[in-house]
Amino acid sequence: MAGKLRMRSIDEGDFKGKAVLLRVDINSPVDKQTKRIINDNRIRKSVPTIRDLSEQGAKLVLMSHQGDTTDYASLISMHEHAKRLSEALGKTVDFIEDIAGPAAAERIERLKDGDILLLDNLRYFTEEVSTFEDSVKLDPAGMGRAYLVRRLAPLFDCYVNDAFSAAHRNAPSMVAFQELLPSYGGRLLIGELGALQAITEDPERPCVFMLGGSRAGDAFGMIQRVLSDNSADAILTSGLVGQIFMLADGLSLGKASERVIEEKGYGRYIVEAAGYLSRYRNKIVYPRDVAFERHGSREEVQVDALPQDEMIFDIGKDTVSLFAIEIERSKTIFVNGPVGIYEDDISSTGTRNLWKVVEEANGFTVVGGGDTVTSFTNFTDTTKLNYVSTAGGALIRYLSGVRLPLLEAMGRAYDRV
Ligand code: 3PG
């Protein structure tokens, strides 16, 4: 067993000549236009487990999702992932444009010891999409009837999971194979859990949470927890999360910004945010000034000068200074979500300047989330941060005390041994 974790590590298995199904999470940010991968952090961090299993002589098959079905924007094939993995590993990772059909089965059966094959995007299957779990509640045994599991499980001797960043997804690829195959945790999964256990056990105070980005559901789940258990001394909000707090406090943002919040169905969080403001106003900070583009140039206004027609895309410099004071006085700093649209020069100033403050902070810095890590990689020297997680939603839920489906499934498999 790995530390206090209820799962076997790959050090406890013998994989020579075995057909091993390895669930990784190499879901990566892609360029909106070209659909090329713009950050390969998760790909590189998946390499140690892949290398170990292949060098031991496993017939290794990798599966992962890429993108999601909320906007289909990055729901693309895994072809480039195989190329990037091959480069990072220094060994060929083959790719097949199939997941569990006859072509994949035939190819898996032909694998030789040490070979590595990557299947196509798991989210091409409805069974695997993250939105599906909201309306269909299947337990892991029920998920054993999914096409993916029925087709693939009989082809393998064991299952390894190294996808901590998808641990919150109750999907067949994450929780069902453990019911049928001997199961192990990969190096990244066990490493992430070890590091997070260390920071959740009695973090140094003051402890500040910087929550931005556009995934309001994730942020609000965490806000609820860290306010009610008193682990947050301050919550600095930005991105859409910050805008929701501004609306909750009676500010009007302007039509363009409010439409985005409405289209994402985030109206319910405005009510929730109003409740937090009435009980915890001294701990919650939202932007004092915001930025937008007008006639091709960046402009900033104080929030009391809102609403304005253009869409808000960043925080202003006064907010950067305000947040910097909180960051500099904190002993534990958790960051999830860029403060604005970090991909364009004109809108990245806030994220760029604030991430520099985090990079230089004396407190223990923990950073997680796909876009968050990409933006830190773009703007800072990430080796100066104390802990960079590959996870976003899973990390937030873990820190929120939510039970993660993956950990439950690995625990059940461990108890059966
Ligand atoms: C992530 O990017 O957080 C993981 O890959 C899970 O993706 P999801 O939030 O789209 O399920």
Side-chain angles (χ1 to χ4, degrees):
M1 185 163 140
K4 283 180 276 168
L5 303 173
R6 274 171 63 224
M7 70 178 74
R8 284 193 292 170
S9 92
I10 56 172
D11 292 325
E12 294 164 80
D14 174 11
F15 301 100
K16 180 157 178 45
K18 301 270 175 64
V20 178
L21 181 61
L22 171 59
R23 174 51 157 112
V24 287
D25 181 1
I26 48 176
N27 177 24
S28 303
V30 298
D31 181 89
K32 287 195 181 76
Q33 264 80 45
T34 64
K35 306 289 181 197
R36 299 288 306 268
I37 294 170
I38 51 177
N39 182 290
D40 65 356
N41 179 47
R42 283 183 177 162
I43 293 177
R44 284 183 288 101
K45 291 209 167 161
S46 299
V47 163
T49 299
I50 298 172
R51 174 171 290 131
D52 279 9
L53 292 171
S54 168
E55 283 180 355
Q56 277 192 49
K59 302 175 172 89
L60 188 58
V61 176
L62 317 179
M63 58 176 177
S64 174
H65 69 281
Q66 165 63 49
D68 61 44
T69 47
T70 53
D71 61 5
Y72 292 91
S74 51
L75 194 76
I76 55 165
S77 142
M78 307 301 291
H79 184 249
E80 190 189 353
H81 301 68
K83 279 188 16 202
R84 302 285 284 254
L85 265 175
S86 305
E87 283 158 20
L89 195 62
K91 172 172 185 170
T92 303
V93 174
D94 283 323
F95 167 71
I96 183 163
E97 208 180 323
D98 189 14
I99 305 166
E106 192 262 332
R107 188 75 172 272
I108 291 166
E109 274 164 358
R110 278 197 292 116
L111 289 176
K112 298 194 180 60
D113 293 3
D115 283 355
I116 310 170
L117 174 70
L118 174 63
L119 304 174
D120 213 341
N121 189 347
L122 287 169
R123 286 194 176 161
Y124 288 163
F125 283 163
T126 319
E127 304 163 343
E128 280 283 323
V129 305
S130 53
T131 45
F132 189 63
E133 68 191 47
D134 291 336
S135 41
V136 180
K137 305 275 179 226
L138 285 176
D139 61 15
M143 286 190 196
R145 293 192 290 276
Y147 177 79
L148 177 83
V149 187
R150 277 190 287 120
R151 300 279 307 191
L152 290 187
L155 305 177
F156 290 93
D157 298 304
C158 52
Y159 170 83
V160 178
N161 191 297
D162 210 18
F164 175 68
S165 44
H168 55 310
R169 294 304 178 200
N170 199 30
S173 68
M174 294 295 295
V175 301
F177 289 97
Q178 292 90 330
E179 302 285 312
L180 303 164
L181 296 170
S183 299
Y184 302 85
R187 302 221 178 282
L188 180 58
L189 172 62
I190 288 178
E192 291 262 12
L193 290 169
L196 290 178
Q197 274 179 349
I199 61 159
T200 45
E201 282 160 22
D202 204 14
E204 273 204 86
R205 314 296 288 253
C207 179
V208 67
F209 291 83
M210 285 187 60
L211 303 176
S214 60
R215 292 186 174 196
D218 286 353
F220 274 83
M222 186 157 183
I223 290 170
Q224 198 273 336
R225 167 73 183 228
V226 298
L227 286 174
S228 60
D229 74 1
N230 198 31
S231 52
D233 296 300
I235 298 181
L236 312 179
T237 67
S238 57
L240 290 190
V241 183
Q243 290 178 30
I244 289 169
F245 274 98
M246 288 157 68
L247 286 168
D249 214 18
L251 294 166
S252 299
L253 308 179
K255 279 206 192 89
S257 302
E258 287 175 14
R259 194 177 315 118
V260 175
I261 287 170
E262 195 188 313
E263 280 172 5
K264 286 188 174 283
Y266 286 168
R268 64 198 150 121
Y269 297 120
I270 300 173
V271 180
E272 204 175 317
Y276 295 138
L277 283 173
S278 69
R279 287 164 59 207
Y280 304 100
R281 181 171 289 273
N282 61 334
K283 290 192 173 185
I284 296 169
V285 188
Y286 63 71
R288 268 191 194 163
D289 55 350
V290 294
F292 52 89
E293 182 178 347
R294 183 173 290 155
H295 311 307
S297 309
R298 179 184 168 104
E299 288 190 21
E300 296 187 2
V301 289
Q302 299 294 309
V303 294
D304 59 12
L306 292 171
Q308 49 86 36
D309 292 337
E310 291 79 4
M311 197 173 78
I312 297 168
F313 62 26
D314 196 9
I315 57 173
K317 62 178 183 327
D318 289 353
T319 307
V320 171
S321 307
L322 178 70
F323 285 10
I325 294 168
E326 288 292 341
I327 293 165
E328 281 157 2
R329 63 186 278 275
S330 295
K331 297 254 171 57
T332 306
I333 302 142
F334 173 78
V335 186
N336 181 258
V339 303
I341 297 175
Y342 69 92
E343 292 95 335
D344 302 323
D345 272 356
I346 192 170
S347 53
S348 65
T349 315
T351 304
R352 186 186 294 272
N353 291 340
L354 214 47
W355 283 187
K356 283 273 168 211
V357 177
V358 175
E359 178 193 32
E360 298 301 330
N362 291 322
F364 191 84
T365 45
V366 181
V367 163
D371 284 327
T372 313
V373 174
T374 305
S375 51
F376 267 97
T377 309
N378 291 352
F379 304 142
T380 68
D381 171 3
T382 52
T383 62
K384 290 188 176 174
L385 303 168
N386 294 96
Y387 183 63
V388 179
S389 174
T390 54
L395 172 70
I396 284 199
R397 284 167 181 78
Y398 182 91
L399 296 179
S400 307
V402 173
R403 294 156 83 96
L404 298 176
L406 170 64
L407 302 190
E408 310 259 297
M410 297 303 286
R412 275 192 306 275
Y414 178 75
D415 292 344
R416 275 198 299 271
V417 176

